[in-house]
C-alpha cells in the first residue's frame, strides 16, 4: 500500500510539478542570457562565465544541503526551505536586471517562433544541429557517474559527492572558458571543450576505482562547464542583436529535445550492453558536434584562420 500511494502521488502531483519547474527554469534562462549580452561586448564571455557560475555553485551545494536536511527536518520542510531560498535569491535579479536595447514588438506566433530564422541562416541552423548532437551525449557522465561508481564497489556515501565535485570543477571551467572566449573567440573555445568532453566520455566506462571516478568528475566538470558557459555565445555572431532573443530562445528550445532524450537513451544502452556502449555512443555524438562546429567556423570565416 505505501508503494502504491507513492506511485499515485508521483503520477498525480510529481510529473505536473516537474513540468512546471522545468518550464519556469527555461523561462528564466534565455532572458537572463540575452540581457547579459546587451551590456557586454568585449568581455561578454567572462560575463557569461560568471553568470553561469551560479548554477555550478548550486549544483555543488544543494545536493549536499538536501542530503543533510532531510534526516533533520524531513522531506517536506527541506523542499520548503529550498523554495524560500530560491524565492529570496530571485528577488535580486528581478530588481536589478534591465535591458539596454528597446524591445522589438511583433504580433502572432512569429513573435516567439519564426521558422524563417532557420531557413535563412545556415550557420545558425548548423550550430543548432551541432547542439542537438552534443546534448545527446553531454549528460551521460553527469547522470551515471554516481551509479557507475557504486557498481564498481565505491562506497555510496562517497559516490554521492562525485556530482558535487564535478559541479565544483565545472565552475572553474565556466569562468576560464569565458575568459578564453573573449581572447580567442567563442567558437574557437567551444570546439576544444566539446572534444575534451567527448574524450573523457569515451574513457568514462573504464573507470573502476575511487581515484578514477574523482579524476573523471574533475576533468569532465572542467570540460562540460566550459561548454555550457560558452555554447550560446557564437549565436551572437549569427545575426543582428534585435532578434537575438528569438534566435537564442528557439535554439535552446530545440536543443532541449536531445538534452531530454540523451540520458534515457544512455540508460537503455547501459541496461542492454553496459557502460561501454553508452560511453561510445555519447562520445561519438559529441565528436560529431565538434566536427559540425568546425564546418561552421570555416563557412563563417571563409577559411581556416581567424577569430570565431
Amino acid at each position: 500500500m505505501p508503494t502504491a500511494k507513492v506511485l499515485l502521488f508521483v503520477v498525480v502531483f510529481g510529473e505536473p510539478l516537474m513540468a512546471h519547474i522545468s518550464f519556469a527554469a527555461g523561462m528564466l534562462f534565455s532572458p537572463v542570457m540575452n540581457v547579459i549580452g546587451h551590456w557586454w561586448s568585449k568581455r561578454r564571455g567572462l560575463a557569461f562565465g560568471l553568470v553561469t557560475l551560479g548554477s555550478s555553485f548550486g549544483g555543488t551545494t544543494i545536493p549536499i544541503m538536501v542530503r543533510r536536511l532531510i534526516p533533520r527536518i524531513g522531506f517536506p520542510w527541506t523542499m520548503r526551505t529550498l523554495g524560500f531560498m530560491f524565492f529570496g535569491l530571485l528577488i535580486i535579479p528581478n530588481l536589478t536586471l534591465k535591458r539596454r536595447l528597446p524591445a522589438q514588438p511583433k504580433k502572432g506566433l512569429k513573435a516567439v517562433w519564426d521558422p524563417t530564422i532557420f531557413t535563412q541562416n545556415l550557420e545558425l541552423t548548423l550550430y543548432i544541429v551541432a547542439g542537438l548532437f552534443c546534448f545527446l551525449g553531454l549528460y551521460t557522465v553527469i547522470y551515471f557517474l554516481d551509479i557507475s561508481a557504486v557498481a564498481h564497489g565505491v562506497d555510496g556515501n562517497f559516490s554521492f559527492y562525485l556530482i558535487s565535485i564535478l559541479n565544483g570543477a565545472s565552475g572553474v571551467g565556466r569562468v576560464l572558458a569565458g575568459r578564453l572566449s573573449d581572447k580567442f573567440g567563442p567558437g574557437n573555445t567551444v570546439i576544444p571543450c566539446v572534444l575534451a568532453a567527448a574524450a573523457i566520455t569515451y574513457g568514462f566506462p573504464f573507470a573502476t576505482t575511487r581515484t578514477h571516478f574523482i579524476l573523471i568528475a574533475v576533468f569532465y566538470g572542467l570540460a562540460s562547464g566550459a561548454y555550457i558557459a560558452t555554447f550560446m555565445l557564437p549565436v551572437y555572431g549569427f545575426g543582428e542583436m534585435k532578434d537575438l532573443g528569438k534566435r537564442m530562445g528557439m535554439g535552446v528550445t530545440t536543443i532541449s529535445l536531445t538534452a531530454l532524450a540523451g540520458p534515457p537513451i544512455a540508460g537503455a544502452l547501459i541496461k542492454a550492453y553496459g557502460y561501454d556502449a553508452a560511453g561510445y555512443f555519447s562520445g561519438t555524438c559529441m565528436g560529431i558536434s565538434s566536427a559540425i562546429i568546425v564546418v561552421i567556423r570555416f563557412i563563417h570565416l571563409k577559411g581556416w584562420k581567424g577569430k570565431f
Side-chain angles (χ1 to χ4, degrees):
M1 181 63 71
T3 302
K5 288 182 178 180
V6 170
L7 291 174
L8 180 62
F9 176 84
V10 170
V11 171
V12 176
F13 297 104
E15 293 182 4
L17 182 61
M18 289 305 299
H20 282 83
I21 292 173
S22 301
F23 180 80
M27 291 290 287
L28 284 170
F29 179 79
S30 292
V32 170
M33 294 296 102
N34 293 333
V35 169
I36 296 302
H38 280 202
W39 293 98
W40 275 270
S41 178
K42 291 183 179 180
R43 295 185 178 180
R44 183 178 290 154
L46 181 59
F48 265 64
L50 292 173
V51 169
T52 58
L53 181 62
S55 62
S56 173
F57 180 78
T60 303
T61 57
I62 289 176
I64 298 173
M65 174 182 169
V66 171
R67 185 181 177 92
R68 297 293 180 87
L69 285 178
I70 289 177
R72 297 183 181 184
I73 62 176
F75 178 80
W77 270 107
T78 299
M79 295 299 104
R80 293 182 189 116
T81 301
L82 291 179
F84 293 140
M85 183 179 70
F86 295 153
F87 180 81
L89 291 172
L90 286 171
I91 290 175
I92 300 172
N94 274 282
L95 293 177
T96 57
L97 281 177
K98 180 183 178 181
R99 61 183 302 132
R100 180 179 65 86
L101 302 174
Q104 301 288 330
K106 291 185 178 181
K107 296 181 180 180
L109 181 61
K110 286 190 175 182
V112 293
W113 189 269
D114 187 359
T116 60
I117 287 181
F118 295 137
T119 58
Q120 296 176 2
N121 194 326
L122 176 62
E123 294 176 9
L124 175 64
T125 302
L126 288 175
Y127 192 73
I128 291 174
V129 172
L132 286 168
F133 274 103
C134 188
F135 274 87
L136 196 57
L138 185 68
Y139 290 117
T140 296
V141 173
I142 298 173
Y143 269 72
F144 297 101
L145 184 65
D146 180 3
I147 301 171
S148 176
V150 172
H152 284 90
V154 177
D155 184 4
N157 290 322
F158 173 80
S159 67
F160 169 82
Y161 291 97
L162 287 172
I163 299 304
S164 291
I165 294 171
L166 188 151
N167 278 305
S170 173
V172 177
R174 293 173 195 226
V175 177
L176 180 62
R179 185 68 188 92
L180 291 174
S181 72
D182 290 332
K183 184 174 182 179
F184 300 106
N188 291 338
T189 304
V190 165
I191 293 169
C193 291
V194 177
L195 286 173
I200 297 167
T201 303
Y202 277 127
F204 161 61
F206 300 99
T208 56
T209 67
R210 175 185 291 198
T211 302
H212 291 165
F213 285 107
I214 292 174
L215 291 173
I216 291 289
V218 170
F219 287 106
Y220 194 78
L222 288 169
S224 62
Y227 173 73
I228 290 170
T230 56
F231 85 99
M232 290 308 294
L233 284 172
V235 176
Y236 282 83
F238 298 151
E240 299 180 11
M241 185 67 76
K242 65 180 182 181
D243 62 352
L244 172 66
K246 190 183 297 183
R247 293 200 310 274
M248 191 172 289
M250 290 174 61
V252 172
T253 299
T254 305
I255 291 171
S256 68
L257 297 175
T258 52
L260 175 66
I265 292 173
L269 288 172
I270 290 171
K271 184 176 181 180
Y273 305 107
Y275 285 95
D276 291 8
Y280 299 154
F281 168 79
S282 301
T284 301
C285 286
M286 287 188 280
I288 293 172
S289 174
S290 64
I292 296 173
I293 301 174
V294 170
V295 172
I296 299 168
R297 182 183 184 278
F298 182 83
I299 295 172
H300 187 81
L301 297 175
K302 297 180 174 60
W304 295 111
K305 295 182 179 181
K307 187 175 180 178
F308 164 63

